[in-house]
Amino acid sequence: MTRQKVKLAYISDVTARKSTYKKRKKGIIKKVRELTILCGIPACAIISCPFEAKPEIWPDPEGAKQVIQRYLDASVIDESKNVNQESFLIQRIAKAQEQLKKLRQENQEKEKILSLFSYMQGEDLPTDVQELKQLKKLIENTLKETKIKMDDLNCESM
């Protein structure tokens, strides 16, 4: 005869609840013991219940303290490896701001180039001295780049 699925619900009968507790507690401790032997890992079990004055500790209180201390020590080391959410977000924001700054500079250069082309097609030049200086600098840089490209092409054709 096969086992029936156990209905997981609070057992209202006190004697049945005590006997189920004792059987399950024994099974849990057995599983923890097997886990430590088969996998070679330190483990402990602390089971507290209203039927007994003291909690059940496996393997013993000293062994449980060692396992817990090892876990606490490991969690302190792991915290240094984990990235703090706040610092991560600050880094992401700084990176996004830097990207935004670069994109704005690129857009300004492209706008200047577009305005240069419109001036070449007959649009009136700006009257602002600062804009004219920037336009002059753009023209000089473009001429330098053009000269360099022409020199490279002349060297390749020879």
Side-chain angles (χ1 to χ4, degrees), residues 97-111:
Q97 286 174 338
E98 188 65 33
Q99 250 182 337
L100 179 65
K101 184 180 176 183
K102 287 180 182 178
L103 289 172
R104 282 185 176 157
Q105 287 175 347
E106 287 177 19
N107 283 343
Q108 285 177 348
E109 282 187 33
K110 290 179 181 181
E111 284 177 1

Side-chain angles (χ1 to χ4, degrees), residues 52 56 61 69 72 77 91 104 106 125 127 135 138 141:
E52 298 173 2
E56 176 81 22
Q69 190 59 46
L72 292 173
I77 292 169
Q91 289 174 351
R104 282 185 176 157
E106 287 177 19
L125 289 172
T127 56
L135 191 60
L138 177 67
N141 287 340

Side-chain angles (χ1 to χ4, degrees), residues 5-17:
K5 187 171 183 176
V6 177
K7 179 182 172 189
L8 292 179
Y10 183 73
I11 303 171
S12 56
D13 183 20
V14 176
T15 55
R17 190 166 60 244

Side-chain angles (χ1 to χ4, degrees), residues 66-89:
Q66 289 174 355
V67 171
I68 292 169
Q69 190 59 46
R70 184 174 174 184
Y71 170 75
L72 292 173
D73 293 343
S75 66
V76 169
I77 292 169
D78 289 343
E79 282 180 12
S80 64
K81 292 180 183 176
N82 291 340
V83 177
N84 183 357
Q85 188 72 20
E86 183 180 1
S87 64
F88 173 73
L89 289 175

Side-chain angles (χ1 to χ4, degrees), residues 17-27 52:
R17 190 166 60 244
K18 282 183 183 180
S19 73
T20 302
Y21 166 76
K22 288 180 183 180
K23 291 176 191 174
R24 294 283 177 113
K25 179 179 77 168
K26 186 178 175 184
E52 298 173 2

